[in-house]
């Protein structure tokens, strides 16, 4: 096991690679290779939530770069009951999975474990592109088989121990299709709705995913072995942030986890950095090689919508690229960005797709240095940047 210290964060590099890992190339040859891999398995991967430098990932897990999009509201209860509507991305000349193994919707929850730091944990509703889940493991990891243009889900919840300073999984569950024990499998291009809500204080936070295209639904309830895990904050305001996180953000967010190789490449799901030719996350041409994810809307319990949208990155956006590349821009040395697309009336992530109306300065939309505070002191977190104009 190799233990690496990267930017003050300890990363355990110990991924169990599947025997059928495959390098996925662009263009017709790559498409043929992907088609031939449809029944093959990726590795068993564990991708945790990026914490403060004093906190350690447990063996077998890594975390890296989590650029996020935050809907902002001061409405009481807006962080407890919210609904996202999105359209899933679609493979093109490159597969969606090429830019990383997962994107997720998540939020800060209470943790009834008496040893949980700040009494908080963090949910990541992880969507795996080009993949069907075969196992959501108790350590927060996942195992998948390759399935082009399919998506399935695990829901790890991450906690930090007050004595160990180790980040571990407090909970993990697979998103099943209704009352079955089969995974809810969604298709590229499907419109989905994700509803986070509290049914009762005696039950954990409910996460209901509905594929509006197929009318299939799955629900996960966040109940750890210590009891229900519920939203930690009432309002979806900037500053209501996870105590042990690296960003001063809102309680709930969308994140595309970047800085890992594909789950179906060699190496699989590996931590990577800008400038490395295996790190497609930082190559804008890869993002523009598939049809993007579209985040159409967020609504709160009273039917209201966000007053603003904000973004942040836990590694400083372009600042990270400038640290690792001799110059900014070009292949593998660009930071992907959020944009609003006028044609689809939706937020996208990656680059300027056809129809882009606002790209908010592209990669420079993210704060590059820590200038916000938190429990770990002044200048210990990256600030949220409000996007202007508001679409």
């Amino acid at each position: 096991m190799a233990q690496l210290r990267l930017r003050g964060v300890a990363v355990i590099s110990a991924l169990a690679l599947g025997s059928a890992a495959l390098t996925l190339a662009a263009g017709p040859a790559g498409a043929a290779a992907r088609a031939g891999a449809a029944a093959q398995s990726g590795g068993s991967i564990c991708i945790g939530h990026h914490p403060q430098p004093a906190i350690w990932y447990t063996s077998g897990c890594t975390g890296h770069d989590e650029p996020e999009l935050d809907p902002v509201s001061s409405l009481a209860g807006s962080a407890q009951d919210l609904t996202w509507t999105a359209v899933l991305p679609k493979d093109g000349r490159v597969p969606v999975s090429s830019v990383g193994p997962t994107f997720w919707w998540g939020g800060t929850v209470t943790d009834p474990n008496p040893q949980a730091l700040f009494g908080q944990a963090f949910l990541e509703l992880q969507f795996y592109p080009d993949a069907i889940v075969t196992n959501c493991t108790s350590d927060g990891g996942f195992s998948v088989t390759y399935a082009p243009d399919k998506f399935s889900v695990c829901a790890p919840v991450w906690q930090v121990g007050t004595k160990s300073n180790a980040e571990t999984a407090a909970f993990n569950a697979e998103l099943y299709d209704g009352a079955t024990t089969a995974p809810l499998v969604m298709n590229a291009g499907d419109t989905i709705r994700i509803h986070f809500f509290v049914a009762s204080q005696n039950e954990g936070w409910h996460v209901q995913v509905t594929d509006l295209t197929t009318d299939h639904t799955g629900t996960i309830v966040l109940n750890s072995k210590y009891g229900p895990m519920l939203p930690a904050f009432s309002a979806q305001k900037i500053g209501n942030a996870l105590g042990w996180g690296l960003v001063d953000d809102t309680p709930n967010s969308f994140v595309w986890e970047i800085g890992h190789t594909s789950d179906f490449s060699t190496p699989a799901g590996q931590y990577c950095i800008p400038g490395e030719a295996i790190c497609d996350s930082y190559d804008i041409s890869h993002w523009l090689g598939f049809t993007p994810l579209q985040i159409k809307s967020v609504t709160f319990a009273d039917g209201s919508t966000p007053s603003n949208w904000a973004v942040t990155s836990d590694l400083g956006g372009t600042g990270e690229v400038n640290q690792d590349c001799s110059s900014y821009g070009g292949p593998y040395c660009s930071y992907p960005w959020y944009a609003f697309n006028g044609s689809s009336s939706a937020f996208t992530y990656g680059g300027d797709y056809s129809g882009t109306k606002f790209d908010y300065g592209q990669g420079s939309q993210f704060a590059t240095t820590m200038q916000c505070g938190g429990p770990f002191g002044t200048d210990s977190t990256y600030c949220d940047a409000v996007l202007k104009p508001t679409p």
Side-chain angles (χ1 to χ4, degrees), residues 4 21 30 55 75 102 122 129 138 140 143 147 165 170 172 176 181 195 202 212 301 304 313 316 320 333 335 355 366:
L4 308 176
I55 296 166
L75 174 73
T102 185
F122 195 87
S138 60
S143 298
N165 270 0
N172 196 12
Y176 292 131
T181 56
H195 185 197
N202 297 321
L212 298 175
S304 66
S313 161
E320 177 194 11
C333 284
Y335 200 88
F366 303 99

Side-chain angles (χ1 to χ4, degrees), residues 103-335:
F103 53 82
W104 50 260
W105 285 265
T108 304
V109 295
T110 60
D111 190 341
N113 181 349
Q115 296 301 317
L117 185 63
F118 306 127
Q120 295 179 339
F122 195 87
L123 162 68
E124 294 183 354
L125 186 73
Q126 296 183 349
F127 279 64
Y128 308 119
D130 301 317
I132 295 177
V133 169
T134 59
N135 191 24
C136 300
T137 59
S138 60
D139 65 355
F142 60 94
S143 298
V144 292
T145 57
Y146 182 74
D149 277 336
K150 302 294 183 183
F151 297 82
S152 53
V153 174
C154 292
V157 179
W158 304 103
Q159 65 182 2
V160 173
T162 55
K163 295 181 179 179
S164 66
N165 270 0
E167 180 181 324
T168 59
F171 174 91
N172 196 12
E174 183 176 344
L175 182 67
Y176 292 131
D177 190 349
T180 75
T181 56
L184 176 61
V185 178
M186 293 156 280
N187 307 301
D190 286 359
T191 299
I192 62 169
R193 183 176 60 213
I194 306 170
H195 185 197
F196 297 87
F197 65 97
V198 177
S200 163
Q201 293 298 313
N202 297 321
E203 301 177 43
W205 208 15
H206 283 55
V207 185
Q208 184 180 69
V209 179
T210 302
D211 188 323
L212 298 175
T213 304
T214 64
D215 201 30
H216 283 237
T217 298
T219 301
I220 292 172
V221 181
L222 303 187
N223 285 314
S224 77
K225 66 180 182 180
Y226 293 99
M229 310 179 88
L230 293 161
F233 299 97
S234 173
Q236 181 70 7
K237 296 193 300 185
I238 295 173
N240 284 351
L242 176 69
W244 48 265
L246 281 167
V247 290
D248 187 49
D249 61 352
T250 57
N252 301 284
S253 58
F254 167 81
V255 165
W256 199 306
E257 189 98 23
I258 63 175
H260 288 86
T261 62
S262 166
D263 197 16
F264 306 105
S265 66
T266 302
Q270 178 172 295
Y271 179 107
C272 60
I273 61 175
E276 293 183 322
I278 63 169
C279 213
D280 297 340
S281 297
Y282 303 103
D283 182 51
I284 303 304
S285 69
H286 273 79
W287 292 93
L288 299 182
F290 57 81
T291 303
L293 174 80
Q294 301 171 44
I295 297 178
K296 304 287 284 186
S297 66
V298 169
T299 55
F300 305 110
D302 68 345
S304 66
T305 57
S307 57
N308 291 291
W309 294 81
V311 296
T312 188
S313 161
D314 59 1
L315 281 175
T318 58
E320 177 194 11
V321 176
N322 289 329
Q323 178 178 329
D324 295 312
C325 293
S326 58
S327 61
Y328 185 86
Y332 308 101
C333 284
S334 297
Y335 200 88

